Amino acid sequence: MIDDDRAFIELVDHALIARGCVMTYADNGVDGVRLAKLLQPDLVVLDIRMPGMDGYEVAAELRTHAELAQTRIVAVTSAASDGDKQRIAAAGFDGFFLKLIDTSTLIDEIERFLPAPLPAPADGQS
């Protein structure tokens, strides 16, 4: 995940840990690109609005690296007008979801973009 919103990062991390997954994050675009190149993740959840390198610039940079050709990039934003949705699609994102998502559906939103389903939580709850 590449996002400068610490509370959102912690929310996603908590949800993924409950499913036995590990998340790596960066709070800025430069570090996010470096980590993605190093780790070659299945999925990058990328905030659109960040200081410095915004999500569009990060996505464009990630798409230039052959080792990340199979990595899906999903935009996350707090607002998405029709124009924003078109710009996200044109920028090469595989999809997007809203930051204001209901936490009970957060894993479902993330899982839509993963190559394999996440394991069920150990306690049987999401």
Side-chain angles (χ1 to χ4, degrees), residues 6-62:
R6 185 74 170 161
F8 187 70
I9 290 169
E10 289 175 6
L11 174 71
V12 174
D13 191 39
H14 179 73
L16 291 174
I17 286 172
R19 294 287 182 103
C21 298
V22 176
M23 180 184 81
T24 302
Y25 72 90
D27 62 3
N28 66 74
V30 173
D31 289 344
V33 169
R34 182 184 53 77
L35 276 174
K37 287 171 48 181
L38 178 68
L39 301 174
Q40 299 176 19
D42 291 325
L43 175 67
V44 171
V45 176
L46 177 55
D47 187 19
I48 292 294
R49 294 183 180 106
M50 293 185 293
M53 240 179 138
D54 70 19
Y56 296 108
E57 294 168 312
V58 173
E61 177 65 23
L62 293 174

Side-chain angles (χ1 to χ4, degrees), residues 27-102:
D27 62 3
N28 66 74
V30 173
D31 289 344
V33 169
R34 182 184 53 77
L35 276 174
K37 287 171 48 181
L38 178 68
L39 301 174
Q40 299 176 19
D42 291 325
L43 175 67
V44 171
V45 176
L46 177 55
D47 187 19
I48 292 294
R49 294 183 180 106
M50 293 185 293
M53 240 179 138
D54 70 19
Y56 296 108
E57 294 168 312
V58 173
E61 177 65 23
L62 293 174
R63 291 292 187 217
T64 67
H65 298 282
E67 66 270 29
L68 298 174
Q70 300 302 311
T71 298
R72 302 194 79 193
I73 304 172
V74 178
V76 61
T77 183
S78 56
S81 68
D82 288 340
D84 292 330
K85 292 174 188 176
Q86 290 172 352
R87 186 171 178 204
I88 287 167
F93 285 89
D94 294 295
F96 79 96
F97 61 89
L98 295 176
K99 235 180 210 189
L100 303 174
I101 192 166
D102 178 349

